Amino acid sequence: FPVAGPALGEARAAAEAVQAVARAARAGRAGAALRALHAASPDLAERGADAAARGAAEAERAAAVAARSASAYSGAVAPAALRGALPAEWTPSQLETYARCPFRLLAGMALGLRDPPATGLDIDPRDEGSLTHAVLERFHRRRLQAGAGPLRGDPAERQALRDAAGDLFRRFEAEGRVGEPAAWAARRGAVLARLERVVAAEAREGDGLAPALVEHRFEGSTALVLADRGEEVRLRGRIDRVDAAPDRLRVVDYKNSADERGHRERIDPEALGATEFQLPAYLLAAAQALPGRRGLEASWLLLKTARRLDLALDAGDGFLAVDEAGRARARAAGGRTFADAATGLVRRIRAGDFPVASRSCAGCALGAVCRFETAAEAEG
């Protein structure tokens, strides 16, 4: 910097004076330090007071993170300030984000922060996931419209899948969503082979169920409505596929992943209604659309390994009770209900309670925003 001589000395003295106020503030003597500084320089005293106030805010944030609670400077938001940011209908993924890190939901929902886009030559993993979902949707929708029934694993099905893939590959290529063409030339064949393995595996595991709904949306008049102390919590979503027979149904959710361990943990009974809200919500929505089935199943279909991870419940399971009487019976028996868990989280969100308290910071790109990335991670 072009500062020399007396000016440089004055700048150093000013910085040291403000730092002295900060040290005094940490020792509980900010008032006396500021009065002494004001006698020498009102301007420096104003800067010192600002530094002390910022330090107090940071101390409050650190204490709130240690306590895993919200405070004025760490995730406590006035409900009135949130009204324009809260949705009329909630998605299971929003509830899961809040359950895993309330502050992360605040950053995305109220502050509008997003994870940075992927960089590199290959297709963005999010676009690859969208592409595989779109191909399977088109393939199964065409079969459903033709009344084809369960998969048989014959060459005609493989050709139908290739036709659906070819149409969508060309569309994504035209939209520039496949990465660099040279890299996509190799990736393209791998994606198609992956989808063929998935369809072939489902045909081998045939159990009498056939697709009944494809890309089923529940929202608006078909939203899942949960009552909560005189208020409503409305859930919306989109189910990749629902297979059905007269006595049972199965929700199938595609995951462009090979992470069997991670997805198996998500369907652990202890995770349902704690960190996992997608499959229970989908089961309730599917049962609402296709009533009368006693057996309810939900599956993650891992596209990279062609493996399915299953969750099975009875329609009368107290965990799925939506009406207040059924929920009360489940509570009296010492059980939990999905409806209570979902409405409880939304009640906390509406109250403006967003502590920096993460169950896991893995995969989060917002560490520079919360600034307590590892300290915020704890059990409980």
Side-chain angles (χ1 to χ4, degrees):
F1 294 93
V3 179
L8 178 59
E10 292 170 7
R12 284 176 175 163
E16 290 169 0
V18 173
Q19 290 166 5
V21 170
R23 289 193 295 273
R26 285 197 293 273
R29 294 182 285 104
L34 286 171
R35 285 191 295 273
L37 185 58
H38 189 273
S41 170
D43 177 63
L44 282 180
E46 183 177 345
R47 290 165 59 187
D50 181 68
R54 289 171 184 270
E58 286 300 296
E60 180 185 304
R61 292 191 77 227
V65 171
R68 299 180 66 79
S69 63
S71 74
Y73 290 100
S74 185
V77 182
L82 279 171
R83 288 191 188 119
L86 300 186
E89 296 179 347
W90 300 83
T91 66
S93 63
Q94 288 171 328
L95 301 186
E96 290 172 0
T97 298
Y98 185 85
R100 290 168 183 150
C101 180
F103 189 82
R104 187 172 183 180
L105 182 68
L106 174 68
M109 184 179 65
L111 304 182
L113 302 182
R114 298 289 180 266
D115 287 347
T119 57
L121 300 178
D122 212 344
I123 184 173
D124 186 315
R126 288 166 289 193
D127 282 328
E128 184 177 289
S130 297
L131 177 56
T132 54
H133 277 64
V135 171
L136 290 171
E137 176 201 354
R138 180 167 297 189
F139 169 71
H140 284 291
R141 188 179 297 282
R142 287 174 174 175
R143 288 180 50 78
L144 182 60
Q145 291 169 345
L151 289 166
R152 301 181 301 274
D154 57 35
E157 289 173 352
R158 182 178 182 185
Q159 186 57 51
L161 177 66
R162 289 186 164 220
D163 291 343
D167 293 342
L168 288 157
F169 285 177
R170 286 188 289 272
R171 193 188 86 191
F172 273 60
E173 288 163 3
E175 294 172 354
R177 298 175 61 189
V178 295
E180 287 296 319
W184 171 242
R187 173 68 70 178
R188 192 179 194 276
V191 171
L192 180 58
R194 180 186 313 160
L195 294 170
E196 289 177 346
R197 284 197 304 273
V198 167
V199 171
E202 288 204 281
R204 288 194 300 272
E205 296 171 3
D207 53 7
L209 296 181
L213 300 171
V214 177
E215 290 291 312
H216 173 66
R217 294 179 180 271
F218 56 100
E219 58 189 357
S221 62
T222 59
L224 190 59
V225 182
L226 308 175
D228 178 41
R229 304 179 190 180
E231 296 184 22
E232 276 188 356
V233 173
R234 301 173 63 86
L235 300 183
R236 66 178 178 87
R238 184 181 63 187
I239 306 172
D240 291 335
R241 201 176 87 218
V242 181
D243 297 343
D247 61 337
R248 56 196 257 262
L249 63 79
R250 179 171 61 228
V251 165
V252 180
D253 191 73
Y254 307 136
K255 296 297 181 187
N256 192 40
S257 170
D259 182 14
E260 182 172 338
R261 178 180 176 182
H263 284 88
R264 195 173 292 283
E265 289 174 353
R266 291 182 63 180
I267 57 174
D268 183 276
E270 294 300 314
L272 298 177
T275 55
E276 173 53 46
F277 289 83
Q278 187 178 49
L279 289 186
Y282 285 6
L283 277 176
L284 287 169
Q288 180 176 273
L290 299 172
R293 274 83 173 174
R294 189 71 186 177
L296 305 179
E297 303 168 27
S299 298
W300 304 121
L301 180 52
L302 305 184
L303 302 183
K304 291 186 176 181
T305 59
R307 289 181 60 83
R308 206 178 67 214
L309 307 179
D310 297 323
L311 165 70
L313 293 172
D314 187 272
D317 193 305
F319 177 72
L320 296 178
V322 173
D323 64 293
E324 186 50 49
R327 290 156 67 179
R329 286 193 296 271
R331 293 186 213 111
R336 301 179 301 116
T337 74
F338 169 79
D340 285 350
T343 56
L345 288 192
V346 173
R347 188 164 56 249
R348 287 182 60 192
I349 294 169
R350 288 171 173 168
D353 186 26
F354 298 92
V356 180
S358 176
R359 291 174 182 263
S360 172
C361 296
C364 179
L366 301 176
V369 181
C370 80
R371 290 182 287 118
F372 285 94
E373 191 166 11
T374 53
E377 197 172 326
E379 293 295 326

